[in-house]
Amino acid sequence: MNPIDLRSDTVTVPTPAMREAMARAAVGDDVFGEDPTVRDLEELSARRLGKEAALFLPSGTMGNLVAVLAHCGRGDEVILGDQSHTFLSEAGGVAALGGVHPRPIPNARDGTLSLAELESAVRPDDPHYPISRLICLENTHNLCGGVPLAPTYVDEVGDLAGRFGMGLHIDGARIFHASIALGVPAERLAAAADSITFCISKGLCAPVGSVLCGTGDFIAHARRIRKQLGGGMRQAGIIAAAGIVALDTMVDRLAEDHRRASMLAGLIGGLPGVSLDWNPPPTNMVYFHLQPELGFDAKEFADRMQARGVRLLAEGPRRVRMVLHYWIGDAEVVQAAKATGESLTGPS
Ligand code: TLP
């Protein structure tokens, strides 16, 4: 039996409809701007996010990096959450490759950055300091539990950035999860942002890629930076085709992943030693802590689960993450909950 893979929604393989679209995709050399399918995906993405233009990129990591480099010069500063993916899990790319100084401030439990702390992190004009150029938000916020940021909050951060002449970028790797959970169009969630990235390769099931959206000028600049980083792809329509299917057909169904995350949380929340971070979970991620009296850590728990056919991620010494996605149905949720109960109490 195949393992039930709850490590991430990045493990999703393309659907038959995607494979069909990929096989039939009209392609050309996208570095010459001649791939019609990439252009279609970029136009569709810009429309969906309410921006003028968009750029197809190989990954979310490169999307965020290109965005930060397009907003900031060497020695400029980006203010971002201390739990953000860009700060913690993108190999320090903004500093290593862009000379951009990251200024982390604490993420609240709900993924927000306090407006007061944001404001006090903005540097005065003084030659001792880097120039504060950009604020980054993450929506949904992964490490905070897949929490969506409300549009009014994002607007407030956009206002603050504008008051200080700074830009606002959103890492919207899972912006459509936020949109579905809040019942608010993605375009509305991106309204206050100068730029936003979203991933087609996570819950939307496409095999590869992310899209950066912004003004026409910003995207033209970003296109040059993508080339500098080696991210210009030739007949990329083959993969962009799956992204079009993703945007057309896979967004509304994310509600099913959210429902199953609640179902899983409901089944495991009462088990001895389990302390859920959010109940119900806000979107498609179930994060929980293992209480110390269990006597084993998250790594040992992951091994026990794997022995029972369920894969998950240990996100810290006692923290565990399970992610719901297209290839996980109700039966798999029940199976995963059963394996959780056995792993907590049974033999290793
Ligand atoms: N996140 C991955 C891992 O890196 C943890 C996951 O499994 O959740 N922004 C956010 C909010 C992300 O969660 C991720 C991937 C990225 C950016 C990077 O996307 P890729 O993997 O396409 O570079």
Side-chain angles (χ1 to χ4, degrees), residues 8 10 59-61 64 85 90 138 142 171 173-174 202 321:
S8 180
T10 59
S59 68
T61 299
N64 289 329
H85 195 274
E90 295 176 11
E138 188 175 308
N142 178 348
D171 173 357
R174 297 182 181 82
K202 299 195 166 64
R321 182 181 84 165

Side-chain angles (χ1 to χ4, degrees), residues 281-300:
T283 55
N284 66 326
M285 297 180 170
V286 182
Y287 273 95
F288 57 94
H289 281 80
L290 298 170
Q291 284 158 13
E293 57 270 22
L294 282 172
F296 53 84
D297 64 7
K299 162 107 193 29
E300 160 79 18

